[in-house]
Amino acid sequence: MGARSFGPVGIIDIGSNSVRFVAYGGSARVPSVLFNEKVLAGLGRGVARDGKLDDRAVDLTLRSLARFRQLGKEMGLKRLHTVATAAVRDAGNGKAFLKEVAGLGLKPRLVSGDEEAELAGLGVISAIPNANGIVADLGGGSLELIGVARGGAGEGMSLPIGVLRVGPDADGAALATIIRQAVKSSRLKDAARGHSLYLVGGSFRALALLDMKVMGHPLPIIHHHRILPERLPILREALASRTLAELKSLTQVASARIPTLPAALTILEIMIQVLGPRRVITSAFGLREGLLYRDLDEQTRDEDPLLAAALEVGERLGRFGDHGASLDSWMNPLFPDESHEMQRLRLATCLLGDIAWNAHPDYRAERAVDMAIHGNWVGIDSHGRAVLGRALCSAFGGDGGFSPDVAKLLRPGEVERVVAWGRALRLAQRISGGTEALLRKTSIGLMRDRVVLSIPERYRALYSQAVERRLTNLGKALGRAGEVQFT
């Protein structure tokens, strides 16, 4: 994999509904959020009303931007991108506003509608490399649509449809006409049919979180959450029957965001009707991450986002440096029949195989599971998180403490398989003391009805009662006897 350290880099995103400052660090391929603050300034409300940025919204925005600039200086950012989108683009006083922003010492750049669509598409691709369909980025003042396939973003457009513009009583028929007319002569007309619609933007993410909370999902993490069309009436009912305070308590969504959700829901209903996607999937990555992804070299772009992030975290938190790939290669002979996706998740498990060593021994499994299932991963859905969590639970000796609700996300037969991964990891770490050099002295494999651990005769001292116990436990997980051979 390419260079894993970059930053810190900051992005100020001046949107129609919110103004946000995010500082990123960690892996260049999958940046970690070091700091994230948003202000729901509502710049787009004035544009929707009279074509101008509202004075009070501008004042709040400028005060927020001054704070963000000061924070960025203290953080020692290597770069600070400042971008403005639909509200500033469409406002009669947008240019004057940008001059005031520049007066704060920032270098604002006005993003066109087409570029905004492109960046949203690249953001989704960075988090879901196999994305195929249409990305829909909904803001306060506009809706960007762009086709994505084969790791690239294609034709895009920006429509004057935003949650602040259409309001809570959006006219569905009028919205359908706008979208249908916009896409009818473009490649977007059928780009989502049989494929996916990827949702980007704060209001869509809030809808996804509401959906997960109402359905009682055991892992309410919005990235890669699939919203089923048949659930939309349930969401409509939840929005209509609960007070703002109840919705805020349920979802932890900001009070100023909640009134935009009926409009977002109507827009989603119309897009499903007009674009005909097979699946509707929420993305945690969008314009800001697309901006960072666009700056990467091709080699770094091609890295698997889950594995790149797991490598960075595992290396940072491990005891003796990264050797997750060696752990995976060591145990690979035990699992000859796995699908590509399960092999990928096993490698991610191995890259994270030492992340909880510095926790109290009684809580190492708990810490490892928490990081696996709640970590800031992309390139993975809730099923994948459950796989990582159950495997690491076993790796840190916590077989009896895994959440039954999260375990339900696993498919038939997977519990036994991922428990075996964990026990193989547990054996590998014990025999080698967590070091790569000693691990390489040994090997393991399947032979008829046995799991055979091979150790060179001159390293016989590596074998102990503790190693024997873990070999026996691994054998049980695989339905075989454990055996050691000195070669």
Side-chain angles (χ1 to χ4, degrees):
M1 293 184 179
R4 295 188 294 276
S5 181
F6 91 122
V9 172
I11 296 178
I12 295 175
D13 180 3
I14 305 172
S16 301
N17 199 24
S18 66
V19 179
R20 188 184 293 266
F21 168 54
V22 186
Y24 297 91
S27 164
R29 178 60 183 85
V30 189
S32 300
V33 174
L34 304 177
F35 183 82
N36 186 346
E37 183 171 310
K38 71 177 176 183
V39 177
L40 290 169
L43 282 172
R45 286 195 177 88
V47 179
R49 184 181 61 247
D50 58 19
K52 294 184 178 181
L53 301 173
D54 178 80
D55 288 342
R56 284 191 294 180
V58 167
D59 180 64
L60 175 57
T61 298
L62 292 174
R63 284 187 284 115
S64 301
L65 293 178
R67 166 177 161 76
F68 295 160
R69 179 180 180 273
Q70 187 64 45
L71 288 173
K73 288 180 64 176
E74 296 301 321
M75 292 174 183
L77 299 179
K78 294 180 180 178
R79 284 177 294 159
L80 177 58
H81 301 274
T82 302
V83 294
T85 55
V88 180
R89 202 164 56 226
D90 297 340
N93 55 347
K95 289 184 179 180
F97 168 75
L98 289 177
K99 286 183 180 179
E100 292 190 79
V101 174
L104 298 173
L106 297 170
K107 297 178 181 179
R109 188 166 67 81
L110 188 61
V111 176
S112 70
D114 287 348
E115 185 183 5
E116 189 173 353
E118 178 198 8
L119 292 173
L122 291 176
V124 169
I125 290 167
S126 73
I128 310 173
N130 62 349
N132 188 357
I134 292 177
V135 170
D137 183 1
L138 178 63
S142 64
L143 171 68
E144 280 68 46
L145 300 176
I146 191 165
V148 291
R150 297 182 294 279
E155 182 179 0
M157 62 178 61
S158 181
L159 306 179
I161 297 172
V163 291
L164 298 181
R165 283 195 176 185
V166 304
D169 301 317
D171 183 339
L175 294 176
T177 298
I178 293 172
I179 296 174
R180 190 173 288 112
Q181 289 294 320
V183 303
K184 72 175 183 178
S185 58
S186 77
R187 293 182 180 179
L188 292 176
K189 181 175 181 292
D190 297 311
R193 298 190 190 280
H195 301 296
S196 298
L197 177 65
Y198 301 93
L199 306 182
V200 173
S203 295
F204 277 155
R205 291 169 187 147
L207 273 184
L209 186 56
L210 176 63
D211 183 43
M212 300 183 89
K213 290 292 188 179
V214 169
M215 72 189 295
H217 197 289
L219 281 179
I221 295 172
I222 61 168
H223 181 68
H224 221 294
H225 173 60
R226 182 175 178 182
I227 300 179
L228 301 176
E230 57 265 31
R231 290 194 53 79
L232 298 189
I234 298 173
L235 297 184
R236 179 75 69 186
E237 172 60 24
L239 291 172
S241 62
R242 302 181 190 226
T243 65
L244 186 148
E246 290 171 337
L247 290 168
K248 179 177 173 59
S249 176
L250 177 65
T251 63
Q252 301 305 307
V253 170
S255 299
R257 173 81 67 188
I258 291 173
T260 70
L261 299 189
L265 183 56
T266 298
I267 292 169
L268 177 56
E269 290 169 339
I270 297 305
M271 284 197 299
I272 292 173
Q273 173 190 324
V274 174
L275 302 175
R278 182 182 175 191
R279 293 172 297 271
V280 177
I281 297 172
T282 314
S283 173
F285 277 26
L287 179 148
R288 292 180 294 276
E289 292 75 19
L291 194 63
L292 298 177
Y293 182 75
R294 189 171 66 178
D295 286 345
L296 298 178
D297 59 75
E298 186 174 352
Q299 180 181 358
T300 307
R301 281 192 187 190
D302 288 342
E303 292 179 6
D304 183 307
L306 172 63
L307 299 181
L311 175 63
E312 189 271 329
V313 172
E315 188 172 50
R316 176 161 44 85
L317 298 181
R319 292 169 291 177
F320 305 115
D322 167 65
H323 63 283
S326 294
L327 286 166
D328 184 62
S329 296
W330 185 84
M331 70 171 69
N332 193 57
L334 300 175
F335 309 104
D337 59 343
E338 289 182 341
S339 66
H340 172 75
E341 181 58 19
M342 288 300 279
Q343 290 176 30
R344 174 176 176 264
L345 292 174
R346 173 157 53 87
L347 175 54
T349 299
C350 290
L351 292 170
L352 298 172
D354 210 23
I355 57 173
W357 69 271
N358 62 347
H360 187 284
D362 294 344
Y363 296 98
R364 285 176 182 164
E366 183 177 317
R367 180 174 180 183
V369 169
D370 181 60
M371 294 181 71
I373 66 176
H374 297 124
N376 191 29
W377 317 119
V378 293
I380 190 172
D381 58 12
S382 58
H383 164 259
R385 290 173 180 270
V387 167
L388 291 186
R390 186 64 188 88
L392 287 173
C393 182
S394 179
F396 284 93
D399 287 336
F402 195 70
S403 164
D405 289 335
V406 177
K408 290 177 183 177
L409 298 173
L410 297 171
R411 296 165 187 152
E414 283 184 345
V415 171
E416 295 78 9
R417 174 53 57 100
V418 299
V419 164
W421 293 357
R423 291 190 179 177
L425 256 174
R426 195 163 170 78
L427 170 61
Q429 299 287 52
R430 174 58 60 182
I431 197 170
S432 67
T435 65
E436 183 175 12
L438 282 180
L439 182 67
R440 289 182 178 276
K441 307 295 184 187
T442 71
S443 62
I444 198 164
L446 302 176
M447 188 178 296
R448 298 186 182 89
D449 58 349
R450 291 166 290 161
V451 177
V452 180
L453 173 64
S454 297
I455 304 174
E457 180 63 40
R458 64 192 180 118
Y459 291 100
R460 178 184 282 265
L462 290 178
Y463 196 66
S464 66
Q465 287 184 339
V467 172
E468 182 179 22
R469 283 195 303 271
R470 294 195 179 183
L471 176 59
T472 298
N473 288 336
L474 172 59
K476 288 179 180 178
L478 292 170
R480 299 166 184 256
E483 179 181 312
V484 64
Q485 291 183 354
F486 298 101
T487 59

